[in-house]
Structure formats: C-alpha cells, structure tokens
Amino acid sequence: MTRTPHSLRAEGLSLAYDDRTVVDQLDVELPDGAITVIVGANACGKSTLLRGLARLLKPASGRVLLDGESVHDMASKDVAQVLGLLPQTPLAPDGITVGDLVGRGRYPHQGFFRRWTAEDDRAVAAALESTGTAELVDRRVQDLSGGQRQRVWIAMALAQETDLLLLDEPTTYLDINHQVELLDLLTDLNRAEGTTVVLVLHDLNLACRYADHIIAMKAGRIVAEGAPVDVVDSALVSEVFGLPCEVVPDPVSGTPMIVPRGRHHAGRLVGSAPTAVDAT
C-alpha cells in the first residue's frame, strides 16, 4: 500500500493562555516522512506548539494547515484519521482496561455504528505487542505503574495508525532501556511506513541521535532548526538552555553529544587524569 504524503505547517502562529502569549508568530513546516524533535528549556512553548499543531489550542493569530486546509475548519474525525496525538498528561476513564483504552485508538477508522472489524483486532494486537503491553490487556489502567501506563498510551496512539504522529514527552516515566526501545520503535515505524513523527523530548542526546530534523525553541520562538549535525553546537545549547557544555561526536551514532560543564568539573580537561584530590 502506497503511503499518501501529508503536509503539516503553521503560518504566523501565536498561541496564548488567557492574555499570556506562549508561542509568538511562528512559521513551522514539518518535513513529511521524517522524525522531528522539538527541544528547549522548560516553559519555552514546545508543548504548547505541539498542542497547537494538533488543534487542541485555538490560535490567537495565524493558522495551522493540514494538507493545505485549516485544521480548525476540518471535521474532527477527518483530522484523527491522519493525525494522532499523545499529550503530555493523558487521562483515562476510571476502571477502563488496557485493551479497551488501546481499542479507542481505532475509533477514527470505524463507521457511524462503530462496528469492530478484523482490521481493528490486528491493529490493536500489533500496538500491544510492539509496546510490550499485551500481557496487561485485562488490567485496569489505574492499577499500572507510571511506566506501564505510558507504554499503554503509546500503544493507543500506535493503534490509531495515522500517517502523522505527535507525541509530547513520550519517554516520561520510562527507564532508560524503555526510552531507547520506544525511540527505536518510532524509528522502525518511520522507516517501514514513512510515518511522520513529531516529538517533544527533554534529553538532548537522544533528540540528536533520533531526529532527522530538530527545532530548538526559546521564549516562544524558534532559535534554530535543521539536521542535528548542522545546528547543534555549544553556542546553541548555551543560548537555549543557559548550559556551558562541550559538544562532541556521539561514539555510537556520530551525532552531536552534549557533555555538560557543571561547576565542579568546569576546569577539568577532557581526557586528563584525575588528581589525588579528584580521587578522594
């Protein structure tokens, strides 16, 4: 089956909460069929931007266009068939089981009477298997650990089988092993199906390793964007995060790797041997 290309972009987009502008006059175009990661310090507007792109927030000005049409002029079901979203703090109904929650990802693909099909069974089973949550299918979501719940929500987003997938801090609550497994899974999905994936991540090194395209934000504006190897350096990290650091090649992927310079290590040279004081 040939994937249909899609475009998602914002023009002059401003987003606000009450009278407080959080995202200010942004022009954004997400590369189709690529993995884009949005990074920035806390409260810089990255999660707000994602919510705006997913039409959870109505623009104060500007517009978000999906395949050239304003998302706010489109039917919700039409948007949901193309664009899937995992928000930062999703809420599950009391008492709902894992199987029922993941199954809700199939709603956009069902007809008026919501008849369940073999295709729905296949999509849900594949999502549960790929996230390692199949054994939890009969458990109540409220009884799971934070990491288990996060993987179940990701399974629901995957079951939706959209060509565009937006995830806000999907590695929250996951240990480092599950973080890497999730990002590998999203990369597999991107490479096998051509799914456009947009992530908000806090871990800069994982962002640089997995992103085809990175967007760095500060105070509601885009400071830099492009391939990580082209835009991520110590000057950018200092500007966006206020963090003195060294940027060196990741020994595994060759992508930029950020090495922070804390106050207790700022004077130590890379590769220098520890002194007697260092060793105590």
Side-chain angles (χ1 to χ4, degrees):
M1 182 176 176
T2 303
R3 175 186 177 273
T4 302
H6 294 283
S7 65
L8 181 63
R9 71 181 191 272
E11 296 178 346
L13 182 65
S14 293
L15 299 165
Y17 298 104
D18 296 324
D19 295 328
R20 182 172 62 91
T21 298
V22 178
V23 167
D24 191 18
Q25 294 290 314
L26 292 191
D27 292 324
V28 181
E29 184 156 7
L30 300 173
D32 181 57
I35 297 176
T36 295
V37 179
I38 306 171
V39 299
N42 290 339
C44 73
K46 55 188 184 294
S47 292
T48 299
L49 172 59
L50 201 73
R51 296 185 70 202
L53 292 171
R55 84 169 209 164
L56 293 183
L57 284 178
K58 187 174 181 179
S61 63
R63 57 184 185 162
V64 176
L65 301 173
L66 176 59
D67 296 334
E69 184 177 355
S70 170
V71 294
H72 291 279
D73 295 334
M74 298 175 67
S76 296
K77 188 170 184 178
D78 291 340
V79 175
Q81 288 177 347
V82 176
L83 190 156
L85 171 71
L86 177 65
Q88 190 175 101
T89 53
L91 296 174
D94 286 343
I96 193 169
T97 66
V98 168
D100 287 341
L101 182 66
V102 176
R104 292 191 175 198
R106 300 301 302 164
Y107 283 4
H109 301 284
Q110 294 171 349
F112 181 78
F113 295 105
R114 289 186 174 171
R115 291 191 179 93
W116 194 262
T117 67
E119 181 64 14
D120 296 324
D121 280 330
R122 181 207 57 77
V124 168
L128 290 166
E129 183 66 27
S130 65
T131 54
T133 54
E135 72 279 6
L136 304 175
V137 67
D138 295 320
R139 299 262 311 268
R140 295 190 306 174
V141 174
Q142 66 199 56
D143 296 334
L144 304 179
S145 69
Q148 289 172 325
R149 281 197 301 271
Q150 190 71 356
R151 286 187 287 139
V152 167
W153 281 109
I154 292 164
M156 189 190 78
L158 295 179
Q160 196 172 335
E161 290 190 329
T162 56
D163 290 327
L164 286 148
L165 187 57
L166 280 55
L167 303 103
D168 192 357
E169 298 186 29
T171 56
T172 300
Y173 304 117
L174 300 182
D175 58 44
I176 186 62
N177 181 52
H178 282 114
Q179 289 181 41
V180 172
E181 283 186 355
L182 168 62
L183 294 170
D184 280 343
L185 171 63
L186 294 173
T187 300
D188 291 342
L189 184 67
N190 167 259
R191 292 178 179 175
E193 306 293 338
T195 304
T196 300
V197 180
V198 186
L199 306 163
V200 170
L201 289 181
H202 275 297
D203 190 312
L204 277 175
N205 290 328
L206 289 178
C208 288
R209 181 178 287 190
Y210 284 94
D212 300 307
H213 186 80
I214 200 163
I215 296 175
M217 293 185 64
K218 179 181 179 181
R221 294 182 177 273
I222 293 175
V223 175
E225 63 176 311
V229 70
D230 294 331
V231 300
V232 177
D233 57 20
S234 58
L236 178 70
V237 177
S238 178
E239 179 181 1
V240 172
F241 293 94
L243 176 69
C245 68
E246 299 292 331
V247 176
V248 299
D250 186 316
V252 173
S253 63
T255 53
M257 185 173 75
I258 292 83
V259 182
R261 283 184 171 272
R263 288 186 298 106
H264 296 285
H265 306 92
R268 185 174 297 174
L269 297 176
V270 175
S272 62
T275 65
V277 173
D278 293 330
T280 60

